[in-house]
Amino acid sequence: MPRSFIDKERLTSFPAVTQRMYLWRRSASRKWFASNQLRLRALALDQLAIIERSNRKRLQLEVAAKSRFELQKLANEFGGRIENLPRNWLKRWLRQKTKPLTIGQRKLVIPAGAAFGTGEHATTAMSLRLLEKLTRNWNPSWSMADLGTGSGILALAAKILGARQVAGIDNDPIAISTAKQNARRNKIHGVQFRVSDAVTAKFPRNVDVVTANLFSELLIEILPRMKSARRLILSGILCSQERDLRRALARHKIDILEARRRGKWVAILAGRR
């Protein structure tokens, strides 16, 4: 799923990985979510995770917090349930098995966990295919920054595909902890995962590829910072928002090289010719 990227704290670790965590959850129809999303987002801010599985019609909505009190207003207004996660919740999720992703000649194992994605969502799957196709004949000296890295799938895939320098950036410390666990699980070294936000995150100006699986409004906002990259792989774009993003790319003189669509989602490969 595309990730919101607002929190501007710069952290290097997150002790809550081993502390008590709480999770608000509810299942919702698309119609219900469309009617309630503005209020829901106002209460949840950037902590709302919207989980859409290809074999299910309903959405799973989740918000994590360090205290039950932070989630009680959501439960009072929208129903659902608040779960008290065990202290070893991260390790438990990482033990869950999922179908390995095939990246080039290698299998990448991303366990299900914390709503950060296993590569099955359309936005991630399309980005993976664009990245593999783009770099297939590149020399193994290219660099990449992955904004909204989540489980670290695109960043880890970049290493498998031959990238020399890779940075995975996310504003959620739990996501970064999960991404580091996935790197260790797959014995992939050299990816620099760090907590930051897309608006202020620092990455080399001459980076070859920037991947960004974010909401389209944020993609448009940070285009001026990304346009110096050789290539952009942008996803998290709804079909209804594609026109606005195309106009923003044109304003910045960035060409669309390829666009892919799956269901209501769009992924775009862009860059200067």
Side-chain angles (χ1 to χ4, degrees):
M1 284 295 295
R3 297 181 55 74
S4 177
F5 219 143
I6 300 172
D7 184 7
K8 296 185 178 180
E9 289 185 320
R10 293 176 177 273
L11 304 173
T12 56
S13 62
F14 190 58
V17 167
T18 57
Q19 294 177 359
R20 186 72 66 194
M21 289 291 291
Y22 298 84
L23 190 71
W24 173 82
R25 282 179 173 167
R26 76 153 286 167
S27 173
S29 67
R30 298 175 190 278
K31 183 177 180 180
W32 184 94
F33 181 66
S35 300
N36 293 275
Q37 67 168 315
L38 292 180
R39 176 61 178 162
L40 183 59
R41 290 186 188 280
L43 290 178
L45 299 177
D46 61 325
Q47 298 304 312
L48 176 64
I50 308 163
I51 306 167
E52 179 184 24
R53 296 185 174 92
S54 59
N55 59 343
R56 297 183 186 178
K57 293 182 178 180
R58 295 177 67 83
L59 302 173
Q60 179 79 10
L61 308 177
E62 298 184 355
V63 178
K66 297 179 187 178
S67 72
R68 180 178 291 271
F69 177 78
E70 295 178 58
L71 301 175
Q72 194 61 55
K73 193 168 185 178
L74 284 169
N76 292 344
E77 187 162 340
F78 300 112
R81 67 183 186 274
I82 299 175
E83 298 180 16
N84 184 352
L85 298 179
R87 291 182 184 275
N88 65 340
W89 63 269
L90 182 59
K91 289 183 179 180
R92 287 190 182 186
W93 261 313
L94 289 172
R95 291 192 198 108
Q96 297 181 38
K97 295 182 179 179
T98 190
K99 183 179 179 181
L101 298 169
T102 301
I103 309 294
Q105 302 297 315
R106 182 169 174 178
K107 300 288 186 181
L108 182 61
V109 178
I110 304 293
F116 299 126
T118 61
E120 297 177 350
H121 191 271
T123 57
T124 307
M126 289 189 292
S127 296
L128 280 170
R129 284 164 175 76
L130 287 171
L131 181 63
E132 190 280 327
K133 180 180 177 182
L134 172 66
T135 63
R136 190 176 296 161
N137 297 315
W138 283 13
N139 292 325
S141 59
W142 51 281
S143 59
M144 192 182 93
D146 182 29
L147 306 182
T149 197
S151 299
I153 296 171
L154 293 175
L156 297 176
K159 268 293 182 179
I160 292 173
L161 294 170
R164 172 182 51 82
Q165 182 178 357
V166 182
I169 299 167
D170 203 294
N171 73 327
D172 191 328
I174 303 177
I176 293 299
S177 294
T178 303
K180 289 179 178 179
Q181 289 274 6
N182 287 332
R184 288 192 288 270
R185 172 182 287 270
N186 288 279
K187 296 180 172 58
I188 296 174
H189 307 286
V191 179
Q192 298 177 355
F193 288 112
R194 67 177 186 269
V195 180
S196 189
D197 71 278
V199 177
T200 60
K202 294 182 179 179
F203 50 87
R205 291 184 57 84
N206 60 346
V207 68
D208 292 297
V209 184
V210 171
T211 54
N213 185 8
L214 303 167
F215 292 111
S216 59
E217 296 88 347
L218 185 54
L219 290 175
I220 291 171
E221 180 182 353
I222 64 175
L223 268 181
R225 302 195 65 242
M226 297 191 293
K227 66 181 183 181
S228 62
R230 182 177 171 189
R231 292 290 184 264
L232 304 176
I233 295 176
L234 309 175
S235 60
I237 309 153
L238 290 169
C239 291
S240 60
Q241 301 165 332
E242 182 180 359
R243 181 181 298 179
D244 291 338
L245 185 61
R246 283 179 174 270
R247 288 173 176 169
L249 288 167
R251 284 197 302 272
H252 292 286
K253 296 182 171 59
I254 303 172
D255 297 319
I256 295 175
L257 307 178
E258 185 176 341
R260 296 191 177 208
R261 296 171 184 82
R262 183 185 294 182
K264 64 180 180 180
W265 298 103
V266 181
I268 290 175
L269 172 65
R272 301 182 186 280
R273 293 188 184 277

